[in-house]
């Protein structure tokens, strides 16, 4: 997730958001599952914290009232979707030696942590280190 400020030329107040830098389909799926319009989240709930907290409270009250076993599978799916794991990028300093741009760094990070599992080291780096120990393998 990265911060984004939407600046309007028509005088509408600016809108600060956290967005998925990779255009995450998970966030779009959550919006669709909960039947939330992104503009409502950005402009209504972003401008009025009480509305946002009220929506979360509505779901919390339902869970308290009915208990988890008392919810329908559709309601359970929606409650689970209220929380999405994310990493928030608060700054970026490009490596001047590589000239890597932000979008490339994001793509590489996602590839390292989400798409491709780490590969074992090759035989060239599997020499025994100090004290006869092998270097740690990636997990």
């Amino acid at each position: 997730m990265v911060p984004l400020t939407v600046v309007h030329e028509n005088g509408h107040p600016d809108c600060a958001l956290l967005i998925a830098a990779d255009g995450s389909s998970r966030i779009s799926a959550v919006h669709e599952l909960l039947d939330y319009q992104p503009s409502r989240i950005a402009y209504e709930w972003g401008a009025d914290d009480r509305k946002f907290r009220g929506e979360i409270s509505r779901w919390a009250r339902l869970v308290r009232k009915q208990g988890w076993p008392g919810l329908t599978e559709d309601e359970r799916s929606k409650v689970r979707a209220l929380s999405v794991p994310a990493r928030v990028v608060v700054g970026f300093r490009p490596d001047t030696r590589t000239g890597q741009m932000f979008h490339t760094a994001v793509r590489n990070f996602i590839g390292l942590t989400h798409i491709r599992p780490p590969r074992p080291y090759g035989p060239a780096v599997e020499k025994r280190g100090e004290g006869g120990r092998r270097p740690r393998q990636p997990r």
Side-chain angles (χ1 to χ4, degrees):
M1 304 296 290
V2 297
L4 169 77
T5 302
V6 179
V7 178
H8 299 276
E9 294 180 359
N10 64 1
H12 194 283
D14 294 352
C15 180
L17 306 167
L18 277 178
I19 64 164
D22 63 338
S24 177
S25 58
R26 287 181 290 160
I27 300 301
S28 296
V30 166
H31 290 165
E32 186 174 329
L33 177 69
L34 293 167
D35 197 27
Y36 290 165
Q37 295 296 317
S39 60
R40 182 176 184 203
I41 295 168
Y43 294 103
E44 284 183 41
W45 297 347
D48 186 348
D49 197 43
R50 289 179 47 218
K51 287 183 181 180
F52 173 72
R53 288 192 322 262
E55 180 64 15
I56 301 301
S57 294
R58 179 174 75 89
W59 289 103
R61 281 191 307 273
L62 180 68
V63 173
R64 279 194 308 269
K65 179 181 175 186
Q66 294 180 208
W68 190 256
L71 299 176
T72 66
E73 188 53 43
D74 182 60
E75 290 167 334
R76 289 179 190 172
S77 296
K78 290 178 179 183
V79 170
R80 283 192 296 264
L82 289 172
S83 161
V84 179
R87 292 179 188 246
V88 178
V89 177
V90 294
F92 175 75
R93 289 191 190 127
D95 182 342
T96 56
R97 297 170 294 175
T98 65
Q100 189 176 63
M101 302 295 290
F102 176 72
H103 68 282
T104 305
V106 168
R107 186 186 69 225
N108 291 345
F109 179 75
I110 291 167
L112 287 172
T113 60
H114 182 62
I115 299 168
R116 296 181 201 119
R119 295 183 184 157
Y121 292 122
V125 294
E126 289 187 4
K127 296 179 187 177
R128 294 200 182 269
E130 293 180 42
R133 295 179 299 190
R134 289 183 179 261
R136 293 181 69 165
Q137 294 290 317
R139 294 180 191 234

